[in-house]
Amino acid sequence: MEVGLHFIDFLPGDPARLGPTLADAAKAAEQGGATLFTLADHLFQMEQLAPAQNPFLEGYTSLGFLAAQTTTIDLALLVTGVTYRYPGLLAKAVTTLDVLSQGRSVLGLGAAWYEREHTALGIPYPPLSTRFEMLEETLQICRQMWSADDGPYTGTHYRLNETICEPQPIRRPPILIGGDGEKKTLRLVAQYADIWNSMSNDVAELQHKIEVLNRHCDAVGRDPGEVRKTSGGLAGADPFDDTDEFLKTVERYAALGVDMINLGPMPGNPDPVGFVRRLGDDVIPRLAEMG
């Protein structure tokens, strides 16, 4: 079982501390054996976790910074909100991250949900059905830009006269789609994704979602085994509270075919880097033996 380190704990206080803390967390994750380092794609802190006014760094700028601070760990947003960037710009940003990190970028993508930051900053926030249409077109555009086809793209929401993307990525970024919606999200996972990140924190529910995904794969003629299964459902859990019980829960996820879980310090943790180091010392080695 691999670990993705999800970092959203930007400490309130001196802005000069944010960069060094973020860099130290990513380096500690890499040194501790995590294989993926992710940030959330937001402009305000998420209100269900902490006040919106708390510090929050823009995602792709931060990942570019981390590309220079690390050497082996993959880098991604979990997940990019489809509304925040035009698809051509997004593909270029992810490609740039891949080139500068020597082939370590992953494109995480979702339909976006945080209405407050959209309306606050003047970002259009169309209805959910429209956002899903935009999501599918964005997936198509990114795949085209990472191919030999640099011709036009014509969709309902986006029209590109050319899809030139030079340089091309060193490694075509794996596409990760996050979410558990059975009708739309899991259908897009089956059709486009290399990786699926479920947020279900219930093993029985997760098993059901996997069965739905498998049916979508059958419908589009795809081997379900081609879609890697990862989970953020335990992201808010404290693996140090009862480590043995936590590992038993992860074993149940592993039995369903999940091979990565996303963990990280929650906002309010006074020592987020210490949390990451302790994961590397006490939890990640034990998870690495599981599979």
Side-chain angles (χ1 to χ4, degrees), residues 233-246:
L234 299 176
D238 184 349
F240 309 118
D241 183 40
D242 187 338
T243 300
D244 289 338
E245 187 61 33
F246 175 81

Side-chain angles (χ1 to χ4, degrees), residues 140-141 144-145 147-155 158-164:
Q140 294 169 353
I141 290 166
Q144 181 169 326
M145 290 185 68
S147 75
D149 181 1
D150 61 5
Y153 174 89
T154 301
Y158 303 111
R159 299 192 178 194
L160 287 68
N161 288 340
E162 299 178 273
T163 50
I164 295 171

